Amino acid sequence: MIEITGFGVVLLFLIGGIAFLMVTLLIGKVLRPKRPTPEKQTTYESGEEPSGTAWGQFNVRFYIVALIFLLFEAELVFLFPWATVFGDEQLIEITDGLWGTFSMVETFIFVGILLIGLAYVWAKGMLEWVRPKPKGSDFKSKIPAAAYEKFK
């Protein structure tokens, strides 16, 4: 009888996973219809016809809003487990209520730090959405514009 070590089990799982993936992709390639049309070959831009190049100006405030969103999502990730543990009456009874007081103070400190961060971002004006005026580029390329027509 052959005995498989822990590394052998991991190797078998890796081989099985890769084999499953390859078989699934092969079955999909064999079964899917192959009817390309010019409409299917175009770039998808949220239902709109693509126009211009991809080098358009992008408002940097999108990134700031995304970072602030992630900050408050992280807050929720930490507050949900706290709420479930804080609501456990048996745990609070075992510690004579000290656990509840400690966790409540700790959570207020955590939320307070986040509110200080929010106040800082607000005071710096990072939450105000000001539309920037588009600026044209004065860059002169050495490549003629007709050369780009091949790539459209």
Side-chain angles (χ1 to χ4, degrees):
M1 182 160 192
I2 299 174
E3 194 170 317
I4 300 176
T5 64
F7 290 113
V9 172
V10 171
L11 181 64
L12 285 176
F13 270 104
L14 283 174
I15 291 170
I18 291 171
F20 177 76
L21 179 68
M22 292 301 167
V23 167
T24 306
L25 289 174
L26 180 67
I27 290 172
K29 185 172 183 170
V30 169
L31 293 179
R32 72 175 169 241
K34 298 173 189 78
R35 290 181 229 118
T37 63
E39 187 175 356
K40 289 180 183 178
Q41 300 297 325
T42 61
T43 306
Y44 180 73
E45 285 189 11
S46 301
E48 298 291 326
E49 284 291 322
S51 61
T53 66
W55 294 102
Q57 289 186 350
F58 193 79
N59 196 338
V60 178
R61 298 206 185 261
F62 282 115
Y63 295 113
I64 295 171
V65 170
L67 287 173
I68 294 170
F69 173 76
L70 288 176
L71 172 76
F72 286 101
E73 281 297 306
E75 173 190 4
L76 290 177
V77 166
F78 288 116
L79 285 179
F80 277 126
W82 166 81
T84 57
V85 171
F86 185 67
D88 188 4
E89 292 178 15
Q90 293 176 346
L91 184 61
I92 293 173
E93 287 176 7
I94 292 172
T95 59
D96 296 330
L98 292 176
W99 171 256
T101 305
F102 172 74
S103 64
M104 186 65 98
V105 169
E106 185 179 20
T107 301
F108 280 139
I109 290 171
F110 176 68
V111 172
I113 291 171
L114 288 173
L115 288 176
I116 290 171
L118 177 64
Y120 175 78
V121 168
W122 198 336
K124 288 289 186 180
M126 294 180 183
L127 296 178
E128 295 176 19
W129 197 267
V130 179
R131 294 183 68 119
K133 294 179 182 174
K135 298 176 186 173
S137 175
D138 57 351
F139 176 73
K140 304 293 183 206
S141 175
K142 296 177 184 176
I143 301 171
Y148 292 107
E149 295 297 324
K150 297 178 189 176
F151 299 108
K152 284 189 177 181

